[in-house]
Amino acid sequence: MMRLVLGLSLGSALLLSGCRQDGPAKPDEGGKPDTGNAGMADEDGDGWVVSTGDCDDNNAAIHPGAEELCDGLDNDCDGLIDEDSIQVWYQDGDSDGYGDAGVSQTACEQPDGFIADATDCDDTDATIHPLADEDCDDPVDRNCDGSVGYADADGDGSPACEDCNDQNPAQSPEAAEVCDANNTDEDCDGLVDDADPSVDTATQTAWYTDGDGDGYGDSALVTMACDGAGSIYDGDCNDADPAYNPGAPEIDCADPNDYNCD
């Protein structure tokens, strides 16, 4: 009887040891953990476990590589929360469409009374913002440019509220309109160069009508302008025939025609 018991015990031991001969289970081919291994359970079934980076194994929407949502959670397990969608919003206390850089909050959605702009220099007065108009008699900096209406930043004698460019002394209502390559409105009347009847004629160019297109114009047909049609060279003695101009060669001594207009 004792031999039978010993035989059964030995056989059971061999049988139990035989169940473990294949060794520990291995991860599957996708690199995901084998959920059958002890301590490697995928509780939320998202294919990730704590040992492979899942920072919340009770929520299938949270794991490495997940889309980061604006929900106050670290969805992609990178240690940051809402980093892809959170934004800084600035208070618009006077509802003028411009925010106060000194009062802000971060949020995914725009909070009431806050906007994305931060350029208002006085958020308690809706008449003060970067696009506000200024009055020369008003000592308040209404357009947030750092100067009040009567300031003259470029020293050209015109107040900022009347000057079309208070950073350029060559531009002011008192300046003379001149021809220039940059098409600048020197006298601040909204007209530039030839479009401005007050343009300084001394800066204009003489343009000669070049009827035959030979590069030389008729001296009698001249127009003064900043830009014009024709040629800046005159002296064409026959503007109907391109063979005649100051740069043309003479044919020969027997030819009675004056091709070079000399």
Side-chain angles (χ1 to χ4, degrees):
M1 184 68 174
M2 183 174 293
R3 289 179 180 177
L4 178 58
V5 172
L6 290 173
L8 290 172
S9 299
L10 180 59
S12 298
L14 290 174
L15 179 61
L16 291 173
S17 65
C19 293
R20 295 192 296 269
Q21 288 178 355
D22 292 336
K26 299 178 181 180
D28 61 24
E29 293 180 355
K32 301 294 189 298
D34 184 345
T35 58
N37 286 349
M40 299 281 286
D42 183 7
E43 300 294 343
D44 54 14
D46 61 3
W48 297 85
V49 295
V50 174
S51 63
T52 58
D54 197 337
C55 53
D56 186 347
D57 205 29
N58 294 309
N59 188 337
I62 298 178
H63 57 75
E67 180 183 358
E68 185 69 20
L69 304 176
C70 191
D71 55 5
L73 301 174
D74 179 13
N75 305 95
D76 56 7
C77 296
D78 64 352
L80 303 173
I81 296 177
D82 301 339
E83 70 273 12
D84 295 332
S85 51
I86 200 164
Q87 182 176 340
V88 180
W89 303 92
Y90 303 92
Q91 178 178 278
D92 183 13
D94 53 13
S95 301
D96 61 0
Y98 299 86
D100 183 353
V103 183
S104 65
Q105 61 175 276
T106 55
C108 299
E109 301 295 334
Q110 182 176 356
D112 289 340
F114 284 75
I115 59 176
D117 179 87
T119 59
D120 202 337
C121 55
D122 186 343
D123 202 38
T124 64
D125 189 334
T127 67
I128 299 177
H129 56 74
L131 291 183
D133 293 326
E134 289 196 342
D135 188 326
C136 286
D137 297 323
D138 189 347
V140 177
D141 176 17
R142 300 209 175 267
N143 63 4
C144 299
D145 66 352
S147 66
V148 294
Y150 51 76
D152 182 12
D154 56 14
D156 59 7
S158 296
C161 57
E162 295 179 354
D163 201 329
C164 56
N165 186 351
D166 202 35
Q167 304 300 317
N168 184 356
Q171 289 181 264
S172 74
E174 288 72 34
E177 185 70 20
V178 298
C179 297
D180 65 302
N182 297 323
N183 292 321
T184 304
D185 179 17
E186 283 84 8
D187 59 4
C188 296
D189 64 352
L191 302 175
V192 177
D193 292 352
D194 290 328
D196 192 337
S198 67
V199 65
D200 185 359
T201 57
T203 65
Q204 292 179 323
T205 300
W207 298 90
Y208 301 94
T209 301
D210 182 12
D212 54 15
D214 60 3
Y216 293 87
D218 187 338
S219 302
L221 300 176
V222 58
T223 299
M224 300 300 296
C226 298
D227 296 295
S231 174
I232 59 173
Y233 302 106
D234 65 341
D236 199 333
C237 53
N238 185 349
D239 202 34
D241 189 336
Y244 293 82
N245 62 70
E250 292 287 359
I251 303 301
D252 55 48
C253 293
D255 192 324
N257 296 303
D258 177 18
Y259 292 101
N260 66 3
C261 299
D262 64 351

